[in-house]
Amino acid sequence: RRTDYEALLASFPGTIAVVDQSGHYLFVNQELADLLGRPATDILGRHVSEILGPEQATRMISEFPRLNAGEVITDTVEVLSGDSKAVISLRLNRLAGPPRSDGQRYYSFGVDISDILKGQARSHFLNQMSHEIRTPMNAIIGLTQAALDTELTAQQQDYLGKVKFAGHALMELLDDVLDLGKIEAGKLEIETVPFYLHDTLDSTTGMLAGLTQKKRLSLQWSCAPEVPRQMLGDPKRLRQVLINLLSNALKFTDTGGIEVKVTLRSGSTDPLWLHFAVHDTGLGMTETQLAEVFKPFVQADASISRRFGG
């Protein structure tokens, strides 16, 4: 039975302490000793104030009457670890069984929730940032539409139309940022809506027309004859992927051009598998570099990042 108890204590993913009615440590598990950065033998017998400080000691001891009445107290406390790192711990305190002849004892369990709170803080920041950016973006889109309603040359109409579309694409990007939590949780949903593939390809390449003209590059797309014009899918996600691939191709191409080719991979109805290929006349990649291409934050050649910005 002792072996079972020791195994249970060792498997608990948090800190455990037993404190007597005067506030002295009677037991600490290895997790708590590691957190505080001192051996367990250096904690046992010491007063809580010596280990956690007078403020937390006063707070803990003041709860003893409530614990004696059978209440279980949960709260969060900030603990300074042995390496001076602030750790937020979800704490649960309760009475340690019935009254004893040698005085009352109390259990204190703790779980590190620092990473959870950081995730919440990040989500809050992303939400705030999104709303802050949406305000000027709505103004840009609205004023662009107002300009489109005036008398303009065909070229001005074309430029402003692309500005408006790019503004909407940026708004979609903000939605993508807010989807980060869903992606991490594996709950990102892919839409299934009717769309015209040619229109999606046209608008996507149109967004990058300014950059291609500036570098004097060609940017074209083509679809094999057997590829249907209308289909069901998620044009937003498709456009997101294509823009990433095309932007990268543009960055590493100085002369020539870029082409998107769409061919039918398999199927003629549902499901339909298409193959999208982005060809460019830029630097290209070796077989070794290609093996690393889908690893996050890996630069194929660190030396070229100084020229191309990563």
Side-chain angles (χ1 to χ4, degrees):
R1 182 173 293 182
R2 179 182 178 86
T3 303
D4 291 340
Y5 287 152
E6 289 175 350
L8 179 62
L9 288 173
S11 66
F12 180 73
T15 61
I16 304 175
V18 180
V19 181
D20 66 18
Q21 60 190 15
S22 62
H24 291 84
Y25 284 102
L26 299 178
F27 170 84
V28 295
N29 70 340
Q30 190 59 46
E31 190 83 13
L32 180 55
D34 291 342
L35 173 63
L36 298 176
R38 54 205 305 173
T41 52
D42 190 40
I43 301 173
L44 296 177
R46 290 180 180 270
H47 197 268
V48 176
S49 59
E50 296 181 67
I51 306 300
L52 301 180
E55 184 177 338
Q56 286 199 35
T58 301
R59 177 182 176 183
M60 180 183 289
I61 293 173
S62 69
E63 295 172 347
F64 285 175
R66 295 167 57 192
L67 298 177
N68 289 336
E71 186 176 348
V72 177
I73 298 175
T74 58
D75 58 9
T76 55
V77 294
E78 185 176 295
V79 181
L80 196 63
S81 65
D83 56 359
S84 300
K85 178 184 175 182
V87 174
I88 306 300
S89 178
L90 175 63
R91 191 182 61 153
L92 184 150
N93 289 346
R94 63 171 301 155
L95 196 64
R100 300 166 57 100
S101 58
D102 56 349
Q104 194 54 266
R105 298 180 181 186
Y106 307 93
Y107 291 142
S108 181
F109 303 93
V111 178
D112 184 358
I113 59 170
S114 304
D115 289 341
I116 296 174
L117 294 180
K118 286 178 184 176
Q120 292 175 346
R122 179 177 61 184
S123 296
H124 178 71
F125 167 75
L126 291 176
N127 274 289
Q128 289 295 107
M129 180 193 71
S130 173
H131 289 301
E132 291 296 329
I133 296 177
R134 282 177 184 276
T135 301
M137 280 309 306
N138 280 323
I140 291 171
I141 293 172
L143 290 170
T144 302
Q145 183 58 55
L148 283 168
D149 293 337
T150 63
E151 291 187 11
L152 302 168
T153 65
Q155 188 178 50
Q156 289 171 331
Q157 282 275 354
D158 180 54
Y159 286 165
L160 286 173
K162 289 172 180 174
V163 169
K164 181 182 177 183
F165 185 84
H168 282 295
L170 183 54
M171 295 291 269
E172 289 183 359
L173 180 60
L174 291 175
D175 292 335
D176 294 340
V177 170
L178 293 177
D179 279 342
L180 181 60
K182 294 181 181 178
I183 294 171
E184 291 178 338
K187 295 182 178 179
L188 181 68
E189 295 183 359
I190 302 297
E191 288 188 338
T192 304
V193 297
F195 74 99
Y196 288 95
L197 179 61
H198 288 207
D199 291 347
T200 300
L201 292 169
D202 232 4
S203 61
T204 302
T205 53
M207 288 178 60
L208 300 170
L211 290 174
T212 53
Q213 289 172 7
K214 186 177 179 180
K215 296 186 74 172
R216 297 182 178 180
L217 301 171
S218 64
L219 177 57
Q220 301 174 334
W221 62 264
S222 63
C223 280
E226 62 270 20
V227 175
R229 298 178 68 92
Q230 186 178 13
M231 56 191 66
L232 294 172
D234 194 332
K236 175 182 171 182
R237 299 297 174 193
L238 174 59
R239 183 163 57 245
Q240 182 183 24
V241 173
L242 288 175
I243 286 176
N244 282 330
L245 293 173
L246 289 170
S247 297
N248 207 53
L250 275 168
K251 180 164 61 173
F252 291 100
T253 303
D254 289 329
T255 59
I258 300 157
E259 183 180 10
V260 182
K261 291 184 177 180
V262 186
T263 55
L264 187 63
R265 187 171 175 178
S266 65
S268 56
T269 53
D270 183 23
L272 188 69
W273 289 89
L274 302 180
H275 184 267
F276 292 82
V278 177
H279 300 264
D280 66 63
T281 54
L283 294 175
M285 303 177 80
T286 66
E287 290 295 327
T288 302
Q289 291 169 340
L290 283 171
E292 304 290 315
V293 73
F294 288 112
K295 293 182 180 179
F297 309 113
V298 171
Q299 178 72 43
D301 183 351
S303 63
I304 63 175
S305 65
R306 288 190 291 274
R307 177 184 172 195
F308 293 98

